Amino acid sequence: MTRHGKNSTASAVYSYSERKKDSRQSGYGTLKERLGADSVKPFDCCCLTLQPCKNPMVTPDGYIFEKEAILQYIVDQKKELKRQNDAFEKFVKMEEERKEKAEQETEEERKRKFVAMESTPTHVFAYGESVSKKRKSTNANAGPSNKKDKYDEESLSNMAGDKAKKWNSFWVPELQSTAEVSKMEKPPQKVTNPVTGKPLKFKDMMPVIFTPIDEDAAKTNLIYSMKERYKCPVTGDILTNSSRCAYIKTSQKIVSWNCVEKIIKKDMIDPLTNKKLTDSDVIELQRGGTGFSSTNQTEGKLARPQMELA
């Protein structure tokens, strides 16, 4: 393709570059964006605050949270779930009352029709009037009279009879007579993980102890400004976003995955506490941002309306 090939508009073919350009400008089609390493948090940072953790806690899935942040999140979620459940219970109660009222109105209508049928056994009209009554009303209304028909008055006025108790507004869609009742889905009953959406309990979370590289910097806040902060307490390997890490429940330490495969899995004994381990005692941590698709989700998508080409 020549230098100005993308600017050519005289071609008979709808090129790939033109399709991409029109897709960005028109608002149609799924947008895709390549994410870099800076789009994913480091492995030792909180999933909520995206900052280095001072009191880290880990979930059974390997996600690290700041203790204060996750506690505040759980409290806020419980308040929100309580509010949603109260609104749902109120909605269910209103639905039951509406159904009971509809059943009562249906039953009253059936009774009214039954009484009208029994009172005038021959030639019943829609409003329960016999032929003689219909003729009398027709003759009475034939001459000049200022008396209004009761049925016409009720049908025209929106403040007569049962219509006076109903709120009708042209500007509010919910108050229209043809408006459907909006349905409310049952809210979740448990607090969920903000990353995975799975149920989350604070009692299932475990404290984490990182081994700092510089002990003097760990006593101050200087360690949080360092790019490489922690190491494996067994092998001494520096822990970075590109290295696989594991959490040991018995010692609450973070070790490298090489330590797990070469040392721990041989005897299934914690090298720091000499306690017996099981497979559930070793939790692999979620890795930080590296910019490689084999490690992280490096493509972001935004679903938009699709434009079909003839």
Side-chain angles (χ1 to χ4, degrees):
M1 183 178 289
T2 60
R3 180 179 179 183
H4 300 285
K6 291 185 178 181
N7 297 329
S8 176
T9 58
S11 176
V13 180
Y14 192 35
S15 64
Y16 176 79
S17 60
E18 291 176 342
R19 187 183 298 110
K20 287 294 182 182
K21 183 178 179 180
D22 293 342
S23 176
R24 288 193 299 268
Q25 295 178 355
S26 63
Y28 289 93
T30 302
L31 285 181
K32 297 181 180 180
E33 186 69 23
R34 184 67 161 79
L35 303 178
D38 55 347
S39 300
V40 185
K41 71 174 188 65
F43 78 99
D44 59 340
C45 290
C46 175
C47 294
L48 287 174
T49 62
L50 306 180
Q51 300 296 325
C53 298
K54 296 182 179 180
N55 297 314
M57 304 284 290
V58 66
T59 64
D61 297 331
Y63 291 92
I64 291 181
F65 294 93
E66 178 69 36
K67 184 177 182 180
E68 182 180 357
I70 194 62
L71 277 175
Q72 186 65 36
Y73 169 79
I74 292 175
V75 171
D76 294 342
Q77 282 293 308
K78 286 185 177 180
K79 290 181 180 179
E80 180 65 19
L81 291 178
K82 185 178 183 303
R83 185 191 65 80
Q84 293 180 2
N85 288 323
D86 293 343
F88 181 74
E89 291 177 359
K90 184 178 180 180
F91 171 77
V92 171
K93 186 176 180 181
M94 291 177 61
E95 280 291 306
E96 293 178 354
E97 293 178 354
R98 187 180 63 84
K99 290 181 180 179
E100 291 179 359
K101 185 178 180 181
E103 292 177 357
Q104 291 178 0
E105 291 179 354
T106 304
E107 187 66 22
E108 291 178 358
E109 183 67 17
R110 290 176 57 188
K111 291 180 180 179
R112 188 188 67 81
K113 289 183 178 180
F114 177 77
V115 172
M117 289 285 291
E118 292 297 323
S119 60
T120 55
T122 58
H123 302 287
V124 180
F125 288 90
Y127 301 99
E129 296 180 351
S130 61
V131 177
S132 59
K133 291 183 179 180
K134 189 69 177 179
R135 289 176 179 175
K136 290 181 181 180
S137 61
T138 305
N139 296 330
N141 294 330
S145 175
N146 296 329
K147 187 178 180 180
K148 295 183 179 179
D149 190 2
K150 182 179 179 181
Y151 170 71
D152 294 338
E153 182 180 357
E154 291 182 356
S155 62
L156 295 176
S157 176
N158 61 351
M159 297 301 294
D162 296 336
K163 295 182 180 180
K165 300 179 182 179
K166 296 182 180 179
W167 292 88
N168 293 325
S169 176
F170 175 79
W171 306 105
V172 183
E174 291 81 3
L175 298 181
Q176 293 291 327
S177 58
T178 58
E180 297 181 357
V181 180
S182 58
K183 295 183 179 180
M184 182 182 297
E185 296 182 358
K186 187 176 182 180
Q189 304 298 321
K190 297 181 180 179
V191 178
T192 57
N193 191 318
V195 181
T196 61
K198 297 180 180 179
L200 177 65
K201 294 182 180 179
F202 184 76
K203 65 179 182 180
D204 295 336
M205 302 184 68
M206 298 151 286
V208 178
I209 301 176
F210 285 103
T211 304
I213 298 176
D214 190 353
E215 296 291 343
D216 296 333
K219 297 178 182 179
T220 60
N221 292 331
L222 295 176
I223 190 172
Y224 301 116
S225 61
M226 300 170 59
K227 187 175 181 180
E228 297 177 350
R229 294 183 281 266
Y230 305 112
K231 65 179 180 179
C232 175
V234 180
T235 62
D237 297 337
I238 296 176
L239 303 179
T240 61
N241 293 333
S242 59
S243 58
R244 295 177 65 184
C245 304
Y247 173 78
I248 309 300
K249 287 185 179 180
T250 54
S251 60
Q252 300 179 354
K253 293 283 188 177
I254 301 296
V255 298
S256 63
W257 195 254
N258 290 332
C259 174
V260 174
E261 290 184 341
K262 296 180 180 180
I263 300 176
I264 296 178
K265 283 189 176 181
K266 289 183 178 180
D267 301 325
M268 292 305 291
I269 296 177
D270 190 347
L272 299 174
T273 60
N274 293 327
K275 293 182 179 180
K276 192 68 177 178
L277 295 175
T278 60
D279 293 337
S280 60
D281 292 334
V282 180
I283 301 174
E284 184 177 0
L285 293 184
Q286 299 295 325
R287 301 175 69 176
T290 60
F292 295 97
S293 59
S294 60
T295 305
N296 308 120
Q297 180 68 27
T298 58
E299 187 179 48
K301 294 183 179 180
L302 177 61
R304 299 189 302 176
Q306 188 69 25
M307 181 175 61
E308 296 184 0
L309 299 178

